[in-house]
Amino acid sequence: MSKSVYKSAKGEKIVRKMYDKQVLALNIEFEDIYVDTRFGKTHLVKTGNQNGKPIL
């Protein structure tokens, strides 16, 4: 089991709620992606011109 970056479940809930609110406020289409890295599961947000060149 990986160690959480949150100090408490309550803190995690607050941060996740704030994150969701802010990303929705951008009013853009996006996709949440999770990739496994040597540091553990990493969250990415996929957005932008689908016909453009990726920057990441």
Side-chain angles (χ1 to χ4, degrees), residues 7-26:
K7 292 184 179 181
S8 69
K10 181 180 178 182
E12 179 179 3
K13 184 177 180 179
I14 291 167
V15 171
R16 289 185 183 271
K17 186 174 181 178
M18 183 173 37
Y19 172 84
D20 290 341
K21 180 179 177 183
Q22 293 302 313
V23 79
L24 290 173
L26 294 172

Side-chain angles (χ1 to χ4, degrees), residues 29 46-55:
E29 290 185 31
K46 180 179 177 181
T47 189
N49 181 348
Q50 297 298 315
N51 297 317
K53 292 183 180 179
I55 60 171

Side-chain angles (χ1 to χ4, degrees), residues 16-47:
R16 289 185 183 271
K17 186 174 181 178
M18 183 173 37
Y19 172 84
D20 290 341
K21 180 179 177 183
Q22 293 302 313
V23 79
L24 290 173
L26 294 172
N27 199 30
I28 57 175
E29 290 185 31
F30 67 93
E31 178 183 353
D32 289 310
I33 300 172
Y34 295 89
V35 296
D36 290 322
T37 70
R38 65 182 177 147
F39 301 105
K41 190 176 282 191
T42 301
H43 174 236
L44 301 173
V45 177
K46 180 179 177 181
T47 189

